[in-house]
Amino acid sequence: EVVMTQSPATLSVSPGERATLSCRASQSVNSILAWYQQKPGQAPRLLIYAASTRAANIPARFSGSGSGTEFTLTISSLQSEDFAVYYCQQYNNWPLTFGGGTKVEIK
Amino acid sequence: QVQLQESGPGLVKPSETLSLTCVVSGYSISSGYYWGWIRQPPGKGLEWIGTMSHGGNTYYNPSLKSRVAMSIDTSKNHFSLRLSSMTAADTAVYYCARRSLPENYFDRWGQGTLVTVSS
């Protein structure tokens, strides 16, 4: 199974600042990676697929990059509604696996 | 706009079998797409349980494969999950979701239902 490791576990950022979240795969998953946002009490929401393609209706301040084993989700200027937990998921191999999440909190 | 809604018991006794249903509205599940289940223990991360095609092909997480069964009922436009031999470790919010075409990420999710395993 491909193990997905996210860092940091918690990221403290001020509104308007840039946030950079990392996701590492235990083996190459090519560019077959998605990012999700989850707010308290809500289901995850798809942000990014194919490592860098924004899903429908996702603001341009969210961007994804990377391939192979190293991936990054960048939020260019944090808005109040962006404080949440973010998960990466690889779908290059069975079983599908998720990272442990990064919580983005207000500094 | 496709919507998914989970239903099932909120409380299950140890060793019993969990049965959950996901009703899909705004889209006919017989038309295509694949459908999945993901769970999240309280305060923890996400775990993929399984995925099923509209035609009935199934893909299960090996860690749960011996206890999982998914089914689909196109006449009722819903799909279901059965998880046997439940233990406290299976306590989680269970989400149903739509798998995107043609890739294995999930683009629509239900709101989730909390299942607690306790006697």
Side-chain angles (χ1 to χ4, degrees):
Chain A
E1 138 174 348
V2 180
V3 177
M4 307 301 293
T5 303
Q6 291 187 243
S7 61
T10 303
L11 186 61
S12 298
V13 185
S14 299
E17 290 188 339
R18 182 186 194 92
T20 303
L21 289 67
S22 296
C23 174
R24 175 176 292 177
S26 61
Q27 65 188 71
S28 176
V29 296
N30 299 299
S31 295
I32 313 302
L33 183 113
W35 289 94
Y36 301 86
Q37 176 194 67
Q38 186 178 36
K39 296 179 180 179
Q42 296 185 17
R45 177 176 71 142
L46 177 68
L47 296 177
I48 301 282
Y49 62 92
S52 61
T53 302
R54 275 191 305 277
N57 302 315
I58 300 302
R61 64 181 181 272
F62 291 92
S63 63
S65 63
S67 65
T69 63
E70 301 284 344
F71 300 88
T72 300
L73 174 69
T74 301
I75 311 171
S76 60
S77 176
L78 271 159
Q79 306 298 302
S80 57
E81 62 267 29
D82 300 335
F83 293 95
V85 180
Y86 293 83
Y87 294 95
C88 60
Q89 178 223 332
Q90 69 81 22
Y91 51 99
N92 189 61
N93 298 84
W94 299 104
L96 310 181
T97 49
F98 293 86
T102 291
K103 180 180 181 180
V104 178
E105 64 176 24
I106 301 175
K107 187 174 181 180
Chain B
Q1 173 82 337
V2 61
Q3 292 185 317
L4 298 88
Q5 178 68 59
E6 305 88 351
S7 64
L11 181 64
V12 176
K13 290 183 169 56
S15 79
E16 291 188 341
T17 296
L18 170 68
S19 293
L20 295 176
T21 296
C22 181
V23 176
V24 180
S25 58
Y27 183 82
S28 171
I29 61 174
S30 61
S31 297
Y33 283 100
Y34 284 38
W35 307 90
W37 291 94
I38 301 99
R39 69 181 183 177
Q40 184 173 38
K44 296 187 178 180
L46 300 164
E47 179 183 30
W48 172 70
I49 299 171
T51 299
M52 179 169 214
S53 73
H54 62 283
N57 296 320
T58 54
Y59 308 83
Y60 297 140
N61 192 323
S63 67
L64 298 168
K65 188 174 183 178
S66 64
R67 300 194 289 131
V68 172
M70 292 178 62
S71 60
I72 197 163
D73 187 336
T74 55
S75 67
K76 295 181 180 179
N77 218 47
H78 74 210
F79 60 102
S80 300
L81 170 72
R82 286 174 60 85
L83 183 63
S84 63
S85 304
M86 294 282 283
T87 71
D90 296 311
T91 293
V93 175
Y94 286 75
Y95 294 101
C96 62
R98 185 181 76 174
R99 194 210 85 166
S100 178
L101 284 174
E103 304 285 0
N104 268 319
Y105 57 87
F106 299 97
D107 64 357
R108 292 288 189 274
W109 295 64
Q111 65 184 30
T113 186
L114 175 62
V115 176
T116 301
V117 182
S118 175
S119 56

